[in-house]
Amino acid sequence: MEQKVILHSSRPSLLTCVGEALTSVLFPFQWQCPYIPMCPLSLSVYTQAPLPFIIGIDSRYFDHYETPDDVCVIDLDCNTISMPDEIKKFVTDRPLPLKAMRILRKGLKAIASKLQCMMVDSDLAVELAPLDYDEVVSRNSLDQIDITVREVFLRFNATIFGHYPSCLSPMVANASDSARDAKSLFDQAKFLKMCPLVDHAFYKAVFNTQLFINFVEQRSFSYSTDTTLAFFDECTEKLSRDLHAKLIKPLAESQRQHDVTVVAAPPHGLGLEENKNYTYDGFPILDHKLFYNPTERPSSPDTDDAKSDSSSLITVRSTSEKLKGKKAAEVAHSNPELWAK
């Protein structure tokens, strides 16, 4: 199940986006092997590693090196996948559980159709790469699609491993090292008895992966502190009662405020000496004389005294201040980060 995977594209941001999505849909499992979402060409030797990995690399890599024989290569620019014969045979001999596969395929087809309709509504005649949707589809629509994709893969994993909790061995105090082994923590034979015979080859392959071994260990020893495992168990219970139950609730608008990125303008050196370093041992002592002391508003604003007091609060910029402001504007006009200055 754990294979060598190379993602390649001419756009670095696309590599990270797809790499993160690929590892995220494995939930509740966590990728345990090397993962390099954007590998520099100077470190492309890691693609020859003798163990499973997920590596994203620039497409120029293939201009200088041959494709490794035992690697699954995914071209994100052309939307193509090339697999060696060994991996094809592995996938053929160990197909995914049929029932769960139908659910997964149905959900993904519905998402693809929805994206296609959005492209038609936007008068787009060309196929878009994943990152291009941001420019033509509203943020709310993308959030809905994101939740739908997560729901589809979560439903798939919860379906094929829905009855795993009943196969976990009970924990005992002061257990020996052998009792802490993954094979001792999970009753594989009992699990296989609950599955169709045609799916046994798939599950046996999963049981030998680092993904599943780590999952069983985390479930046995860290369940009380890991809320994600509790959430997955809750999803399996929902599906056991209702196959069409909703697993993920969309976030309310108020809960999405953390997605807003605020960029603070960096400090500028206007009026400071060039090539001089400024260091501070601590927070400076504030001079209270420099603070503005607000004047109380007079009780009768219609009196002459009140008019004179209010007029005295109006500050007129001096000629030097005007020149200083003009100079600051000339310095900052070419740099959008300094416009706030």
Side-chain angles (χ1 to χ4, degrees):
M1 298 300 294
E2 293 168 325
Q3 301 292 338
K4 302 177 182 179
V5 179
I6 291 181
L7 310 170
H8 73 92
S9 172
S10 58
R11 293 181 290 176
S13 56
L14 187 58
L15 294 173
T16 302
C17 178
V18 175
E20 288 296 309
L22 184 59
T23 55
S24 296
V25 297
L26 295 175
F27 178 82
F29 306 102
Q30 297 178 0
W31 181 256
Q32 299 297 308
C33 301
Y35 167 54
I36 309 175
M38 190 170 62
C39 181
L41 291 176
S42 58
L43 301 179
S44 58
V45 66
Y46 288 114
T47 59
Q48 307 293 333
L51 72 165
F53 57 73
I54 297 178
I55 293 179
I57 199 165
D58 193 286
S59 296
R60 291 174 295 175
Y61 165 82
F62 297 96
D63 295 337
H64 306 282
Y65 304 97
E66 294 291 335
T67 305
D69 297 333
D70 56 345
V71 176
C72 178
V73 181
I74 303 176
D75 187 343
L76 301 179
D77 295 332
C78 299
N79 294 330
T80 59
I81 301 176
S82 60
M83 294 187 295
D85 294 335
E86 293 181 2
I87 298 180
K88 289 181 180 179
K89 185 177 184 302
F90 181 90
V91 174
T92 304
D93 295 342
R94 301 166 181 81
L96 294 172
L98 184 60
K99 179 181 177 181
M101 187 60 189
R102 288 174 178 171
I103 297 174
L104 177 64
R105 186 175 297 169
K106 180 180 179 181
L108 293 179
K109 284 184 176 180
I111 295 172
S113 299
K114 188 174 182 179
L115 286 173
Q116 188 67 30
C117 292
M118 290 180 178
M119 293 168 58
V120 172
D121 293 342
S122 302
D123 296 330
L124 295 175
V126 297
E127 187 174 1
L128 298 179
L131 289 185
D132 293 331
Y133 287 106
D134 257 337
E135 300 177 2
V136 296
V137 183
S138 67
R139 181 64 187 176
N140 289 336
S141 299
L142 289 177
D143 288 343
Q144 293 176 2
I145 292 175
D146 176 71
I147 293 175
T148 305
V149 172
R150 293 175 185 271
E151 172 102 15
V152 167
F153 280 97
L154 176 59
R155 186 179 300 276
F156 171 76
N157 289 330
T159 301
I160 62 179
F161 294 104
H163 50 273
Y164 89 93
S166 61
C167 302
L168 291 171
S169 302
M171 296 298 299
V172 295
N174 302 322
S176 61
D177 292 340
S178 60
R180 293 175 177 269
D181 183 72
K183 293 183 179 180
S184 301
L185 297 172
F186 185 79
D187 192 342
Q188 299 180 7
K190 181 180 178 180
F191 186 91
L192 292 176
K193 288 181 180 179
M194 302 178 183
C195 304
L197 183 62
V198 69
D199 297 333
H200 283 195
F202 166 78
Y203 285 112
K204 288 179 180 179
V206 173
F207 293 157
N208 294 324
T209 62
Q210 291 296 321
L211 285 169
F212 188 79
I213 293 174
N214 177 75
F215 171 72
V216 171
E217 291 176 349
Q218 292 291 325
R219 179 60 174 78
S220 300
F221 301 120
S222 305
Y223 184 75
S224 59
T225 58
D226 195 334
T227 56
T228 59
L229 296 177
F231 170 70
F232 182 71
D233 286 356
E234 181 183 345
C235 293
T236 58
E237 291 178 3
K238 286 183 178 179
L239 291 181
S240 65
R241 297 190 300 266
D242 182 7
L243 293 177
H244 304 286
K246 194 72 173 177
L247 301 181
I248 301 179
K249 296 181 180 179
L251 293 176
E253 189 66 29
S254 58
Q255 294 176 286
R256 300 178 185 175
Q257 296 302 321
H258 65 278
D259 291 335
V260 179
T261 302
V262 179
V263 180
H268 60 78
L270 185 62
L272 302 178
E273 297 182 18
E274 295 183 1
N275 301 324
K276 182 178 180 180
N277 294 328
Y278 293 86
T279 58
Y280 303 91
D281 297 331
F283 195 81
I285 299 175
L286 301 179
D287 186 356
H288 294 281
K289 296 180 180 179
L290 300 177
F291 284 86
Y292 169 70
N293 187 18
T295 305
E296 294 183 1
R297 292 178 59 88
S299 57
S300 52
D302 294 333
T303 61
D304 295 338
D305 293 338
K307 293 181 180 179
S308 60
D309 289 341
S310 60
S311 60
S312 63
L313 297 177
I314 301 176
T315 304
V316 181
R317 297 177 66 190
S318 63
T319 303
S320 59
E321 288 176 335
K322 293 180 180 179
L323 293 176
K324 185 178 180 180
K326 182 179 179 182
K327 184 178 180 181
E330 292 175 351
V331 172
H333 83 282
S334 60
N335 189 352
E337 294 181 349
L338 298 180
W339 287 354
K341 301 293 182 180

